[in-house]
Amino acid sequence: MNRRLTSSSLFKSCIAVSMLMVFLPGCNRKKDVESDVNYEKIVLPVKAAVSVRGEISQTLNFSGNIDAVKRASIAPLAPGRIKQIFVKEGDYVKEGQLLAKMDDYGLQQALANLNQVQEDYQRIKTLYERGSATAQQFGQIKAAYEASKAGYENLKNSVELRAPYAGTIIGRHFNEGEIYNGAPGVDGVAAVVGLAQLGVMKIEVMAPEQEFVLLRTGLSVEIRTDALPDTVFEGKITTVNPALNRMSRSARVTIEIRNPGNRLKPGMFARVKIATSSKKDVVVVPASAVVNRDGEQIVFTVENKAAPFQTKPQIVKVQTGIVNDESAEIISGLQEGAVVLTDNNISLLEKTDIEVTSIENSGKE
């Protein structure tokens, strides 16, 4: 009995030792695999700029359509057939130049009527001077003559359409032979031709009441267009409507722009920037450097040395003054010459590993 138990115990012990010998090398291999894993350190690339002393402006941005300050729609006073048009779009015309001529059938009738009334007027006038006609008769014929003469002159001006001032033809809205009756033509304009002076242009924008109070005549304006993206045009506010629209709570503001070379055209879309106030000799950083976090304004600073280099940023609380689309004035918390991060900084932490790829000067308006 004891011999059987001893043999059985010895057999079980051998099996246990064998299993342990199989298991232990596996554990050692797992530890070896885990020790071979290398985790790569993540470094966030960022750009930076140096805070500088400079000038900054508070700006308001609007958009609108460009038009000529002086523009006219040339049309006859009375309906009629268009007999001939002497100009084409793009032509430069002088003051008084004949632009178009209407059918003169009505004018000929008016002339015949004027000649008849004039003869009657001369005859009654002679009789009146001799005492053979009453003052009432003379007054009546005189009034009829003057009315016929005025009617003829009006029709004459209606037949011959002339330029009221020198300028450029910007539209030819009807064709020869068509009837002009005061209704818009094919392009929606109720005129035979359009005339404009392109040397001075304007933009009318609608300013909401909270911005309207900051605007005044004489303020300088920067104008940019999609058609000429590399050119900045300069203008000035010439009028600010003193009354706001009751529905939109906004007021019309007119900006005039000198247009050398006539590069700006009526109908172009433009974006305008109006500087309402400015400060000089203040600490300025790019607007993207300032981050609003937990109700506070902060910037991330790094040491000032040659880029690229790796480091960890530091959080600095700041107070800003004027802030526009490009720059921000720093009132307190940062000195001139500090290097601040300008991108990838919204969710940044002080313990984040970063690589500063470039450092630029700031302070551009």
Side-chain angles (χ1 to χ4, degrees), residues 120-133:
D120 293 341
Y121 168 72
Q122 292 295 339
R123 181 173 57 83
I124 297 298
K125 181 180 178 181
T126 301
L127 293 175
Y128 174 69
E129 291 172 349
R130 293 176 180 177
S132 300

Side-chain angles (χ1 to χ4, degrees), residues 289-291 297-301 314-318 330 334 340:
V290 181
V291 178
Q297 294 177 314
I298 62 171
V299 297
F300 290 92
T301 63
Q314 291 185 342
I315 293 178
V316 176
K317 294 180 182 180
V318 296
I330 303 298
L334 200 68
V340 295

Side-chain angles (χ1 to χ4, degrees), residues 56-112:
I56 187 170
S57 298
Q58 179 70 61
T59 58
L60 299 176
N61 297 311
F62 301 95
S63 60
N65 295 317
I66 296 175
D67 202 355
V69 170
K70 205 168 185 180
R71 177 173 180 163
S73 297
I74 312 299
L77 297 175
R81 184 181 298 276
I82 301 170
K83 188 174 183 179
Q84 193 171 1
I85 301 175
F86 302 100
V87 293
K88 62 181 183 298
E89 293 175 343
D91 284 352
Y92 181 82
V93 298
K94 298 179 179 179
E95 181 179 353
Q97 182 174 329
L98 184 62
L99 307 179
K101 191 171 184 179
M102 306 294 291
D103 188 274
D104 60 356
Y105 175 75
L107 181 64
Q108 296 302 323
Q109 286 186 321
L111 179 60

Side-chain angles (χ1 to χ4, degrees), residues 44-46 288-294 298-300 313-315 341-354:
L44 182 68
V46 296
S288 60
V290 181
V291 178
N292 293 308
R293 185 177 293 179
D294 299 327
I298 62 171
V299 297
F300 290 92
Q314 291 185 342
I315 293 178
L341 303 186
T342 57
D343 72 342
N344 286 337
N345 56 355
I346 300 299
S347 302
L348 200 61
L349 300 174
E350 282 188 314
K351 62 183 179 181
T352 305
D353 292 306
I354 62 172

Side-chain angles (χ1 to χ4, degrees), residues 33-321:
V33 171
E34 289 178 351
S35 63
D36 291 339
V37 175
N38 293 321
Y39 293 98
E40 184 179 356
K41 183 173 70 173
I42 298 176
V43 179
L44 182 68
V46 296
K47 294 180 181 179
V50 180
S51 61
V52 298
R53 283 199 169 270
E55 182 177 358
I56 187 170
S57 298
Q58 179 70 61
T59 58
L60 299 176
N61 297 311
F62 301 95
S63 60
N65 295 317
I66 296 175
D67 202 355
V69 170
K70 205 168 185 180
R71 177 173 180 163
S73 297
I74 312 299
L77 297 175
R81 184 181 298 276
I82 301 170
K83 188 174 183 179
Q84 193 171 1
I85 301 175
F86 302 100
V87 293
K88 62 181 183 298
E89 293 175 343
D91 284 352
Y92 181 82
V93 298
K94 298 179 179 179
E95 181 179 353
Q97 182 174 329
L98 184 62
L99 307 179
K101 191 171 184 179
M102 306 294 291
D103 188 274
D104 60 356
Y105 175 75
L107 181 64
Q108 296 302 323
Q109 286 186 321
L111 179 60
N113 180 65
L114 175 61
N115 291 335
Q116 181 61 51
V117 174
Q118 186 176 16
E119 290 179 5
D120 293 341
Y121 168 72
Q122 292 295 339
R123 181 173 57 83
I124 297 298
K125 181 180 178 181
T126 301
L127 293 175
Y128 174 69
E129 291 172 349
R130 293 176 180 177
S132 300
T134 65
Q136 182 180 6
Q137 290 174 321
F138 177 69
Q140 289 175 342
I141 193 62
K142 182 179 179 181
Y145 169 66
E146 291 176 348
S148 295
K149 186 177 180 180
Y152 171 76
E153 292 297 332
N154 284 336
L155 279 176
K156 184 178 179 181
N157 292 334
S158 246
V159 168
E160 295 181 350
L161 306 182
R162 297 182 178 273
Y165 47 77
T168 302
I169 301 299
I170 61 170
R172 179 168 160 164
H173 310 297
F174 283 83
N175 297 314
E176 293 178 351
E178 291 183 328
I179 301 295
Y180 176 81
N181 59 5
V186 291
D187 53 2
V189 180
V192 177
V193 295
L195 175 68
Q197 290 185 342
L198 303 180
V200 182
M201 310 298 281
K202 69 176 181 179
I203 303 174
E204 292 183 347
V205 299
M206 300 302 293
E209 57 183 326
Q210 65 269 24
E211 297 177 350
F212 160 76
V213 295
L214 303 174
L215 301 176
R216 60 186 183 278
T217 58
L219 285 180
S220 297
V221 181
E222 288 185 2
I223 299 99
R224 296 178 183 271
T225 63
D226 293 339
L228 303 166
D230 298 328
T231 305
V232 178
F233 296 87
E234 296 182 356
K236 287 187 179 296
I237 295 178
T238 54
T239 60
V240 178
N241 192 326
L244 278 73
N245 183 289
R246 293 183 179 181
M247 299 297 293
S248 64
R249 302 298 179 189
S250 59
R252 181 178 290 105
V253 178
T254 303
I255 300 159
E256 288 191 7
I257 318 148
R258 293 290 173 185
N259 188 26
N262 296 343
R263 300 180 70 191
L264 296 175
K265 309 297 183 184
M268 277 186 175
F269 178 78
R271 297 176 180 85
V272 302
K273 180 189 294 185
I274 304 173
T276 58
S277 61
S278 63
K279 289 184 180 180
K280 296 182 179 180
D281 195 30
V282 296
V283 177
V284 178
V285 299
S288 60
V290 181
V291 178
N292 293 308
R293 185 177 293 179
D294 299 327
E296 295 180 328
Q297 294 177 314
I298 62 171
V299 297
F300 290 92
T301 63
V302 295
E303 56 267 35
N304 192 352
K305 62 181 183 181
F309 61 89
Q310 293 186 7
T311 185
K312 294 181 186 291
Q314 291 185 342
I315 293 178
V316 176
K317 294 180 182 180
V318 296
Q319 182 181 357
T320 60

